[in-house]
Amino acid sequence: MLETLNPLLRAARAANSVAFALQGFFLAVILTELPQQRDKYGLTDTLIVAAVAMISVLAGGGSITAEKIALHSSSRTSLRIGLLLIAASGVGVAFSPNKIVLFIALGVYGVAVGIVDAGTNMQAVFIQHGYGRFVLSSFYAAWSGGSIIGALFVSAFEGLDVPLWVSILTASAVVLAGAVAAGPRLLGTDAAEAGPAEQEPITSVPTRIFLIFGVVLALAFAIDFAVGNWSALYLTDVLLSSSWAAALALAAYQGASLLGRLTGDMWVRKYGPRAVVRGASVVGSIGLAVVVAAPAPVVAIIGFLIAGIGLPLIAPLCFSETGQLTSGRGLDALIARLNLFNYAGTLVGGVVVGAISAGANLRAGFAVPLLFALVLIGFAQVFHTRTGGTGAPARAATEHASLDE
């Protein structure tokens, strides 16, 4: 039983936190280096949008690849391969001689993102099952911390006038070193996939409840991606702020996200998933309403900060609740497929907000994530009222069965 492997669980939790942080770190490096890539390769804004969309689409393929690897071997193997692919893709980006090779390297990175996203969440749910209590939010806090470090990393290297290829190559080396150090400490097959439902077919999981959690996950990531992509432009184009002030919008959101995720496990254990999702959605809705109505940049920044306190807590709770529907290798497959909704959400958050903004303006565009946050309030009802089921997948599936009738 996982419950008896406390030293192993603690080591796996630390290792998986490192993996989450490495994912956030390198994604921040890639995204914040896009302006430099644009200048180096003469990329148009359309090509940049295409690159981001390509990464999201290929990440979906990576998530399915992670499922295949995990079913054949283990989630640990899947995650380690994904991290190594991220490091390799970084080398390709660093030494790309032209935009064609650059897009190929970014394509490899997209696949790697999907593998790592699925692998880290598989491991996180198995580890949570072992702990018997909610700990998933702490992993997402590690991702937020890694993304902040990645942005600061790029800022420091830019300030020192370090060449672009050196910056990306150094970031790849950080990922490689972290993967080598953390990989062996992740949960192996004997402690993770060898659960009581190892041979349970994924079709035994209630389809409707799985799809509901998928929609909730998609909405949460759509909001997150909309803030990440459009917050700075909203402040500069609509509220006429300076570029340095516009950058504070995302910084406020990410900083609040880190704080919320660091304390999220405590809130879930105290009040239960349903209350936390409902509260997070309400707080997020208030924050986004402030953003949409903001008359000045400082008000919008406060709105993004409020939204960041609550909304980023919802994604880990989706994986936690879905993880109670099965275990063993069936859980690997279920988490990998749920992770696909992540990328559907990012595409919606980018395309829909962008399309409305092109037709009207970004103030109208941000009404879309506000609407999504309001919808999430209603979806809170499908979550458990307490956290007692984190270690009991079969019982959780039974409790949810009425939703599939």
Side-chain angles (χ1 to χ4, degrees), residues 2-268:
L2 284 176
E3 289 85 346
T4 65
L5 304 178
N6 289 330
L8 177 61
L9 277 174
R10 288 194 294 269
R13 185 178 182 182
N16 201 42
S17 295
V18 169
F20 265 94
L22 291 173
Q23 176 80 307
F25 167 79
F26 201 78
L27 179 63
V29 170
I30 289 294
L31 291 179
T32 52
E33 291 282 23
L34 278 178
Q36 290 78 8
Q37 300 283 6
R38 178 185 60 191
D39 296 340
K40 178 179 178 179
Y41 297 101
L43 302 176
T44 64
D45 288 343
T46 300
L47 281 177
I48 290 177
V49 172
V52 173
M54 176 188 70
I55 290 172
S56 294
V57 171
L58 291 176
S63 191
I64 295 299
T65 302
E67 175 188 343
K68 303 301 182 184
I69 296 172
L71 292 177
H72 182 265
S73 180
S74 69
S75 55
R76 175 170 68 182
T77 300
S78 181
L79 178 50
R80 295 176 76 176
I81 289 173
L83 288 171
L84 293 176
L85 270 180
I86 285 182
S89 68
V91 174
V93 171
F95 293 111
S96 295
N98 53 55
K99 65 181 67 174
I100 295 176
V101 178
L102 173 65
F103 266 67
I104 292 173
L106 289 175
V108 174
Y109 172 66
V111 174
V113 164
I115 296 175
V116 173
D117 276 345
T120 50
N121 280 294
M122 290 173 191
Q123 283 280 313
V125 174
F126 282 126
I127 292 167
Q128 178 167 283
H129 283 182
Y131 270 81
R133 57 189 172 88
F134 188 81
V135 297
L136 239 160
S137 186
S138 65
F139 292 116
Y140 279 75
W143 188 97
S144 296
S147 68
I148 293 171
I149 292 172
L152 294 175
F153 170 89
V154 171
S155 178
F157 272 54
E158 287 294 311
L160 295 172
D161 204 24
V162 175
L164 177 62
W165 70 269
V166 174
S167 174
I168 296 178
L169 195 63
T170 303
S172 299
V174 169
V175 173
L176 178 61
V180 170
R185 294 174 173 80
L186 296 165
L187 291 182
T189 306
D190 56 339
E193 280 81 10
E198 182 175 355
Q199 303 302 324
E200 181 180 346
I202 192 171
T203 52
S204 67
V205 173
T207 302
R208 186 179 175 214
I209 188 62
F210 170 74
L211 291 176
I212 288 173
F213 287 133
V215 171
V216 173
L217 186 69
L219 292 175
F221 275 110
I223 295 169
D224 197 69
F225 194 76
V227 174
N229 262 30
W230 304 106
S231 57
L233 284 175
Y234 175 56
L235 264 72
T236 55
D237 294 359
V238 177
L239 301 179
L240 306 178
S241 76
S242 61
S243 57
W244 70 265
L248 293 178
L250 183 56
Y253 181 83
Q254 291 287 14
S257 169
L258 176 59
L259 177 62
R261 285 171 169 173
L262 283 172
T263 59
D265 292 338
M266 175 186 68
W267 298 122
V268 174

Side-chain angles (χ1 to χ4, degrees), residues 293-389:
V298 66
V299 178
I301 292 171
I302 292 172
F304 283 119
L305 186 147
I306 295 171
I309 292 172
L311 291 169
L313 289 173
I314 296 174
L317 276 164
C318 289
F319 283 105
S320 175
E321 293 283 300
T322 304
Q324 296 179 57
L325 300 176
T326 186
S327 64
R329 295 196 186 278
L331 178 57
D332 284 334
L334 199 65
I335 294 299
R337 297 182 192 187
L338 179 69
N339 192 54
L340 293 174
F341 289 90
N342 172 349
Y343 311 116
T346 59
L347 287 174
V348 170
V351 173
V352 174
V353 173
I356 292 177
S357 302
N361 57 44
L362 274 168
R363 190 184 296 277
F366 267 106
V368 175
L370 171 58
L371 175 62
F372 289 167
L374 292 170
V375 171
L376 286 173
I377 297 174
F379 274 123
Q381 187 65 27
V382 303
F383 289 78
H384 281 94
T385 57
R386 59 191 185 283
T387 58

